Amino acid sequence: MATIRKRGVAQWEARIRKRGYPTTCKTFDTKVEAEAWAKDIETTMNKSLFVSAKEAEQYTLSECLERYIKEYIPRLKHAKRETDRARFLQKRTIAHRIMATIRARDIADFRREREAEGVSGNTIRLDFALLSKLFNYARSDWGMESLQNPVELAAKPRPAKGRDRRLEEGEEERLLAAASARFRPVILFALETAMRREEIASLHWKNVNIRGRYVLLPETKNSEARTVPLAEGALAVLRELPRSLDQGPVFGLLADQITASMKYACKKAKLVNLRFHDLRHEATSRFFELTDLDVMEIKAITGHKTLQMLARYTHLRTARLADRLAGMKRG
């Protein structure tokens, strides 16, 4: 049965106690609103459709983000990166809102705020992804079954246009000349294999098979193992490197050190708008231009999940295409 009682000067509380359900209460400005709400809740209880909103109405987004950081993020591969993103979100105005009150409109307002700050669409999409996971986790694990996921209803920012930067004539030589002796093999290996920065940084000698002409990547960005075949150029790079007795790292550079080395080399060589990841684009495009590998073979080498993603990394030069139209073979 529902109990309606006055609270203070101008508020009314509806409290419902029913066997098999938690005590449920809510405060309204008028008695009529309290009675209408109580009637609706009792009806859903009688139909066994009631889902308590108590948990969702008790905690703020910031409090849930804190719990998410402690319980969920440690399981992730890039835990620090996700923790930093969650800490940033805790500082936003929306983080002070009660979970149950956040709507798609609020998520859209947050998107507009970030866009006004000049943040890229991809960064905003990553913010959205974290918030979406949080709402789903709160529903499934924290007893907030009444929550709707407002992120799923909010319009997402458009994906950023993919980069199409390739090495122009003479740039590879300038980059190699400017690179340190330690970094130069990394550049050559990236251009031969199309491997990602993290994959190169984490490559260990125990996973290198020069005789079999391949390297094994036990864990990649896609959370799947991949075997990368090695062309003669890549094998030549490996043969020139000192092999550690403990079968440790091949290149001895962390991912961030590779990025820093690339920035320094580009600045020294006066190369504009060139990033280490662009070497993956370059290598992938060269597979199409300079070999007779088919698209599925190239996809297996690069580790792209879909042909659509592979296409984003492939930027064929018009002159090469013109040569093909004229009957010239690849390679």
Side-chain angles (χ1 to χ4, degrees):
M1 290 292 293
T3 301
I4 311 295
R5 68 185 183 95
K6 195 169 186 180
R7 293 191 62 186
V9 178
Q11 286 190 319
W12 294 84
E13 180 191 76
R15 183 178 294 269
I16 301 174
R17 294 186 177 89
K18 185 176 177 64
R19 185 177 180 182
Y21 293 95
T23 298
T24 305
C25 58
K26 193 170 183 178
T27 303
F28 299 88
D29 292 330
T30 67
K31 185 178 181 180
V32 172
E33 290 176 323
E35 290 174 339
W37 176 82
K39 183 177 180 180
D40 287 342
I41 296 299
E42 286 182 323
T43 299
T44 58
M45 285 181 174
N46 291 333
K47 294 180 179 179
S48 300
L49 299 175
F50 175 74
V51 177
S52 176
K54 182 178 179 180
E55 292 289 332
E57 294 174 347
Q58 188 173 352
Y59 298 101
T60 65
L61 174 59
S62 180
E63 290 171 327
C64 287
L65 281 166
E66 188 66 34
R67 185 174 178 182
Y68 186 76
I69 290 170
K70 294 176 180 178
E71 293 185 15
Y72 183 82
I73 289 183
R75 309 175 189 175
L76 303 179
K77 181 178 179 181
H78 300 290
K80 184 182 183 304
R81 187 186 305 170
E82 281 294 281
T83 298
D84 291 344
R85 188 174 300 280
R87 292 293 183 204
F88 170 79
L89 290 172
Q90 284 182 307
K91 299 175 183 177
R92 309 298 298 198
T93 303
I94 193 175
H96 302 296
R97 294 279 300 276
I98 296 294
M99 289 287 283
T101 68
I102 299 175
R103 299 290 182 266
R105 177 185 60 193
D106 303 307
I107 301 298
D109 288 341
F110 170 70
R111 185 199 69 236
R112 284 187 279 269
E113 286 177 15
R114 297 289 274 150
E115 289 172 340
E117 294 167 2
V119 176
S120 70
N122 187 56
T123 298
I124 300 173
R125 291 174 77 88
L126 292 173
D127 291 340
F128 274 28
L130 190 152
L131 289 171
S132 184
K133 290 177 185 176
L134 171 64
F135 273 92
N136 289 337
Y137 196 68
R139 292 177 64 184
S140 64
D141 281 38
W142 298 343
M144 301 186 188
E145 291 93 341
S146 63
L147 271 182
Q148 297 296 315
N149 186 341
V151 183
E152 294 177 349
L153 300 176
K156 310 296 187 297
R158 290 182 179 180
K161 181 182 177 182
R163 289 177 62 83
D164 57 3
R165 178 70 160 92
R166 288 196 60 182
L167 292 171
E168 301 299 331
E169 185 177 354
E171 287 189 332
E172 180 178 342
E173 292 75 15
R174 289 162 56 192
L175 178 64
L176 290 170
S180 65
R182 192 179 183 189
F183 182 52
R184 198 173 298 119
V186 176
I187 296 173
L188 292 170
F189 196 73
L191 289 172
E192 290 287 341
T193 64
M195 284 171 55
R196 300 179 178 93
R197 181 192 65 162
E198 289 80 3
E199 294 170 349
I200 293 175
S202 61
L203 182 62
H204 282 60
W205 282 112
K206 64 181 180 181
N207 293 321
V208 174
N209 189 325
I210 292 181
R211 180 176 296 179
R213 296 180 298 170
Y214 70 85
V215 296
L216 172 65
L217 305 178
E219 187 174 3
T220 66
K221 178 183 177 181
N222 298 325
S223 300
E224 296 178 356
R226 184 168 96 254
T227 300
V228 180
L230 302 176
E232 186 54 40
L235 291 169
V237 171
L238 295 176
R239 291 191 185 107
E240 290 293 324
L241 294 174
R243 186 157 187 162
S244 61
L245 295 176
D246 62 356
Q247 296 287 70
V250 172
F251 295 99
L253 290 173
L254 300 175
D256 289 342
Q257 291 176 314
I258 290 177
T259 298
S261 297
M262 184 68 177
K263 288 181 179 179
Y264 176 80
C266 286
K267 184 176 181 180
K268 186 177 178 181
K270 297 181 180 180
L271 299 177
V272 179
N273 190 31
L274 182 65
R275 305 173 187 173
F276 186 80
H277 198 67
D278 294 330
L279 302 184
R280 178 165 161 82
H281 290 249
E282 179 69 28
T284 303
S285 298
R286 289 183 182 183
F287 285 147
F288 281 98
E289 292 176 342
L290 305 178
T291 74
D292 59 359
L293 295 169
D294 65 38
V295 65
M296 296 306 295
E297 289 171 328
I298 294 174
K299 178 175 174 291
I301 294 172
T302 61
H304 288 103
K305 292 286 285 185
T306 65
L307 293 177
Q308 181 181 9
M309 285 302 300
L310 177 61
R312 289 188 62 188
Y313 277 72
T314 306
H315 308 287
L316 305 181
R317 300 187 192 280
T318 304
R320 292 280 186 180
L321 294 175
D323 289 340
R324 295 281 287 125
L325 287 171
M328 183 178 292
K329 294 183 178 181
R330 288 167 58 184

